[in-house]
Structure formats: structure tokens, C-alpha cells
Amino acid sequence: MLSATYRIPTLRLPKRLTAARYLLAVLRSRPWMVLTGAVTGACWALPGALLPLVIGKGVGAIAAHDTGALWQWALIAAGLGLVQAGFGTWQHFNSYGMWLHGAATTQRTVTEHTTRLGAKLREATTTGNVVAVTSSDINWIGNACEVLGRTVGSLVAFVVVGVAMLDSSPLLGVVALVGVPLAVVGIGPLLAPLQKRKSVQRENLTEVNALGADIVSGLRILRGVGGEQRFLRRFREASQVVRRSGIEVGRAEAWLAAAEVLLPGLVTVAITWLGARLALEGTIDVGELVAFYGISAFLVVPVSTATEAAGALSSGTVAARKICDLLALRPGLTDPDEPLPLPEGPLELVDTTSGIRIAPGRLTVVDLGAEAEAIAERMARFTDPDEGEQVLVGGVPANRVALAELRSRVVYAHNQDLWFSGVLRGQLTPARPGEVDIFAALHAADAEDIIEALPRGVDELIGERGREVSGGQRQRLSLARALAIDAGVLLLDEPTSAVDAHTEARITERVARLRRGRTTVVFSQSPLWRNVADEVVHGKAVTV
């Protein structure tokens, strides 16, 4: 869990976004953390690299029967162990922070962008793709960031060890400095198949997530038509495809792990064999032989770290590509370059496409059947009118108003609006409370009986899409949520289509009283709404 003091940075992304540039942007947003990871990684790896040399010196002191030198090298070895333990703890803490940074920053960036996309998101991509990005891709981005410190540390340690071996034995030093990079390069051809198979697995995971979301959202309909078993078979087949692609990924990772052990092992065998020959010839002493053997064993660490980094970067690149594809989507509606403010007080709405004019501060019922929803979307600027037409809000063209201000002043409540899981009170309470409290809104929507029936009242936990209540109850709660916003202009699309006539009559009268003096537009064909309306629109005609 992130601490309360951790602030997730806002990424500054380049205009031409690629997977590599995205990963660099994530790292650049926390430069001090990246620097700390590199320093602690080097300070953690160096003691492990130097320890075989110190032990070799100690063995040499034993061979020379030099007790003082032996104690000296023993104390140095103990000091290196303490340094490695301390910096290892710090490095682990920083690596975990890097993982959190990569995952949390990506999640925030994607969430903010998808929020800006609004309704465009559903048209441009699938639910499964968004779920895969926020559930699995962020983990791969975190892994790519986490391994950075250990990779830098292993590289520094390898260079130091290579230089030390060159100083003691040029032959062994050359074998190490040439053999280890060759071992890493030899692992390279295994990365391309791994990345390809992970891309296939990612696509399959997107499809199964989308299928699962469709099944959950339409579960009641499936039960009604008896289609559960058919969709169960489809989900099982899709799951098996993901499983098979996962096996292919596992097979590629197994070959990678085998190469990670085999190739540096060959370098270790070569160094040990050459070192033994040199020791027998008297070129190096016993202590140097022990040191070289320890160093050759240590060289497995840089290779395994490099392999891990390559695998993490490969997976992170696949994830970053999907994230970049999502971030490349552009909203259908954009803010104007120079937004104009809306006037204070009640707002008049004018839709030049249909010729409808909504008087400010009055309750207007629009009875236009199937055409009504398109008019409501234009008035709330969920869509823009055709070229040459426009919507005026308080005399200001809607496309010249900042979307944030327009959304706060003009609220469009559709009768199919969704509910998220959470406490009911929190979902009814608007971000900016107005003069209407939630209980007044519940009374106007005739939803008090729903609250009384819940064990905890407004503090009851409501599941996703409000499945705990019926369709009519959910519609009344949605109306209460819209009324609680206390917007200057409120557009209601068939707000009482799922309730009985007696309930609808109470709702229409209470809403008319509650919204008196504010601009309210009800798109409905119900005569009960027309009875309480100040104006009724039939076509382009207005009835007062």
C-alpha cells in the first residue's frame, strides 16, 4: 500500500510516443529514485565481487603463516559483509519503491486518460484491453523499473572484477571480460521468441477478459434465455487458449533459464581449469587460485541479473506498447483553445439543429420520441452537432466552453447510467455539495422506502451496477443521485420509465417543487410529466 505522503507524479509524455519513450518517461519522473537505485545497486554488488579477492588474500596469508595479515583480511571480509547487508537492504527497499512507482504511475496515467476519453473509450477499444492494462501490464512496467538498480550494480561489479583479474592474471582477466559478455550475447536470440509469445499471450488475455466482462454484464439475460452453458463453453475455450499461450511462454522462459545457467557455467569451468593450470605452473599462488574460482562463481550473478533484466524489459516493452496504443486514443470532444465562461444564474439552452429553445429557470418536457436522446446528447455536449449547427448554453456556444465547467453546470442523467460498487452514501453525495442534500433528493425521487429496506440505510454497500435492487428502484436511486448534484441545468432522460403510475405521479410533483427556479429538461412521453411542466415541446412547437 502506498503511504499517504507518496505523491504519484504526472508523466510528461512526448508527442510521438513509443514503448521505449514511455519507459524512459516513467524513469525520468523520479530521477532521484533512479539515481539511488543505481548507487545502492553498485554498493550492494561490489562487496560480493571483492569478497573472493579478500578471501584469496586470506588464504595466501595462511599459506605464508602470517597471522596478522590473516586477521586483517578476515576483518575486511567481515566489513564487506556488513556493507553488503546494509546496502542490500537499502537497495531492496528502493527496488520495491521503483516497482510501486512504475505500476502506480502507469495506473494513474491510464486512468486519467481513459477518464478524459469519456464515451469515446467504449467505441475505440474493448473492456478486456482496459482490464488487461490495469491488471497485468502495470505489473510488467513495475518489473522493468524494479530491476534497474541491480542491473547497474552487476555491471559495475563485473567491470571491477575484470580489472582486478587483469591485474593478477591477464589471461584469466581476458577470459572473464570476453566470456561473460559472450554468454549474455548468447542468451539474446532467446529473447525475441519470448517477446513474441508474450505478445500472443497478452492478446489472448485481452479476449478472455472481454468475454468475462460480457458474461458478467449480461448474466441475467443469459439465465433468462438459458444461454449459460453455451457461454460457459466459450469461456472455457478462451481460457484454454490463454493456458496454451502461457505454456509457450513458460517453455521459452525455461530455455532462457537453462541458458542462464549453462553459458556462464562454461565461463566458470574455463576460468577454473586455466587457473588450476597456472597454479600448477607456479604462475599464480594458491590464494589467487581460490580468488579466481570465487570470482568465476560470482560472475554467474551479473549474467543472471542481465538475463532477468532482459526478460523484464521484454515483458515491459510488450506492456508499454499496449499502454501506448491506449494513450494514443483521442477523445471525441476537446476543450477549446480559448474557453469562454458561462454567465451566472439560470441558463437558456438552444439547439439550432432541432430549433428547440429551453427557457431558463423552468421545467420543460420534451416529447420527441426516439429523437429526444440525440437532442439531449447535443445539449449536454456529449456529441457535437453537424457542421454549421451549434448548441448555445446561456448564449455561449457549447463547444467554446471548457468541458469541466460545462459538466459542472449542465448535467445529463440517462436512465441507464451505471452504478459502481461502494457505499451508497458516497455514491449519492456529489463532489461539490449544493443546496440539495441527499435526503431531500431521495424524498423527491420517492426512494426513501428503498433506504429503509436496506440494513444499513444509506451506509449500505452496493455492488457493481446496483444488482441488489430492482430496475425500478435503481432508476429512482439514479434520479436521486442526479437531483443531489443540484446542477444549474439538469437533463433527465425518461427518469420514471420503470416505475408505476402512482410512484411516477409523486416523483413528478416533488421534482417540480425541488427544481423550481432552475433549468430542468425532462425528455419523456409521460403525461404525468407534462402535467407539472412549465413548458412542453412537441417538435418545434412549445406549449406553455
Side-chain angles (χ1 to χ4, degrees):
M1 181 180 293
L2 293 175
S3 67
T5 57
Y6 181 84
R7 187 180 69 83
I8 301 174
T10 300
L11 289 185
R12 298 180 61 184
L13 299 174
K15 292 183 179 180
R16 187 172 178 273
L17 191 60
T18 63
R21 289 181 177 181
Y22 177 80
L23 292 173
L24 287 175
V26 173
L27 295 175
R28 281 201 304 266
S29 62
R30 277 284 188 266
W32 59 268
M33 188 178 285
V34 175
L35 179 61
T36 302
V39 172
T40 55
C43 294
W44 160 75
L46 274 175
L50 296 176
L51 192 60
L53 297 175
V54 173
I55 292 175
K57 295 292 184 181
V59 171
I62 293 174
H65 303 287
D66 189 343
T67 305
L70 176 62
W71 278 105
Q72 176 185 352
W73 292 114
L75 290 174
I76 293 175
L80 288 175
L82 292 174
V83 170
Q84 187 175 37
F87 277 101
T89 302
W90 190 359
Q91 190 272 335
H92 181 75
F93 179 82
N94 187 81
S95 293
Y96 188 69
M98 287 288 290
W99 188 95
L100 283 175
H101 165 63
T105 302
T106 298
Q107 189 173 49
R108 172 176 174 172
T109 302
V110 170
T111 301
E112 289 181 345
H113 185 70
T114 52
T115 302
R116 287 193 295 269
L117 289 174
K120 180 71 174 179
L121 179 65
R122 182 177 296 179
E123 304 172 8
T125 188
T126 63
T127 302
N129 187 43
V130 178
V131 170
V133 167
T134 55
S135 62
S136 61
D137 289 343
I138 62 173
N139 296 326
W140 296 119
I141 298 297
N143 291 342
C145 295
E146 181 272 337
V147 77
L148 179 64
R150 288 182 287 117
T151 303
V152 173
S154 297
L155 178 61
V156 171
F158 168 70
V159 172
V160 171
V161 164
V163 172
M165 292 183 73
L166 281 174
D167 183 62
S168 298
S169 173
L171 176 60
L172 296 180
V174 169
V175 171
L177 290 177
V178 174
V180 172
L182 286 178
V184 175
V185 171
I187 295 173
L190 298 174
L191 294 177
L194 175 61
Q195 187 172 6
K196 181 179 180 180
R197 292 176 183 182
K198 284 191 173 182
S199 297
V200 173
Q201 184 191 31
R202 171 62 171 75
E203 295 295 336
N204 294 335
L205 184 62
T206 297
E207 293 178 6
V208 78
N209 282 336
L211 181 59
D214 291 342
I215 292 173
V216 171
S217 62
L219 188 58
R220 287 185 176 180
I221 299 175
L222 289 176
R223 287 176 175 172
V225 299
E228 295 172 89
Q229 291 302 318
R230 180 177 180 181
F231 271 84
L232 178 60
R233 287 194 298 270
R234 287 183 58 190
F235 186 77
R236 283 176 174 171
E237 291 171 0
S239 299
Q240 290 304 310
V241 172
V242 175
R243 182 185 65 82
R244 287 192 290 270
S245 61
I247 291 175
E248 292 299 319
V249 171
R251 186 175 288 115
E253 289 180 339
W255 281 107
L256 190 64
E260 177 185 333
V261 174
L262 175 63
L263 297 179
L266 295 176
V267 178
T268 301
V269 170
I271 292 176
T272 304
W273 183 78
L274 288 174
R277 294 277 306 233
L278 293 176
L280 290 175
E281 293 172 0
T283 305
I284 59 175
D285 57 31
V286 176
E288 290 174 324
L289 176 62
V290 172
F292 287 149
Y293 175 76
I295 289 173
S296 63
F298 170 80
L299 291 177
V300 175
V301 175
V303 176
S304 61
T305 304
T307 305
E308 181 186 359
L313 186 60
S314 175
S315 301
T317 301
V318 172
R321 287 196 190 116
K322 295 299 180 181
I323 293 168
C324 290
D325 290 342
L326 191 58
L327 295 178
L329 301 178
R330 291 293 174 260
L333 303 173
T334 57
D335 275 319
D337 295 331
E338 297 180 0
L340 300 176
L342 291 174
E344 297 295 329
L347 299 172
E348 179 189 52
L349 296 179
V350 177
D351 177 35
T352 60
T353 303
S354 62
I356 294 176
R357 182 182 299 270
I358 304 299
R362 297 171 70 83
L363 192 156
T364 303
V365 172
V366 179
D367 183 2
L368 292 177
E371 188 183 353
E373 186 170 348
I375 296 173
E377 290 181 348
R378 288 197 300 269
M379 287 184 171
R381 209 197 165 200
F382 278 28
T383 60
D384 280 329
D386 296 332
E387 188 175 354
E389 305 290 347
Q390 62 181 352
V391 172
L392 301 178
V393 182
V396 181
N399 59 2
R400 297 295 307 279
V401 182
L403 281 173
E405 182 180 3
L406 188 65
R407 295 285 181 261
S408 65
R409 300 285 300 277
V410 180
V411 173
Y412 175 35
H414 196 280
N415 61 4
Q416 297 298 322
D417 286 343
L418 299 180
W419 284 76
F420 297 101
S421 59
V423 178
L424 182 58
R425 182 192 296 271
Q427 300 204 57
L428 290 173
T429 304
R432 301 177 189 174
E435 298 179 5
V436 179
D437 63 32
I438 61 173
F439 296 102
L442 288 167
H443 175 73
D446 197 35
E448 293 168 308
D449 61 312
I450 305 173
I451 304 302
E452 293 171 359
L454 297 175
R456 298 181 181 178
V458 292
D459 294 316
E460 182 70 18
L461 182 65
I462 298 296
E464 186 180 0
R465 296 178 182 266
R467 291 190 175 91
E468 290 81 359
V469 296
S470 66
Q473 290 174 327
R474 186 163 56 249
Q475 191 176 72
R476 284 186 281 160
L477 289 175
S478 296
L479 176 59
R481 180 172 61 180
L483 294 172
I485 297 175
D486 194 25
V489 177
L490 179 60
L491 309 176
L492 300 174
D493 178 66
E494 293 290 354
T496 53
S497 60
V499 302
D500 60 80
H502 294 289
T503 303
E504 185 178 19
R506 289 192 297 270
I507 291 174
T508 56
E509 293 174 358
R510 293 174 183 180
V511 170
R513 285 197 300 269
L514 183 69
R515 293 288 303 173
R516 185 171 290 119
R518 299 178 181 85
T519 306
T520 308
V521 186
V522 181
F523 296 88
S524 175
Q525 295 178 296
S526 170
L528 294 174
W529 279 107
R530 290 198 295 270
N531 288 340
V532 299
D534 298 314
E535 297 180 355
V536 179
V537 176
H538 296 277
K540 296 183 180 181
V542 179
T543 303
V544 180

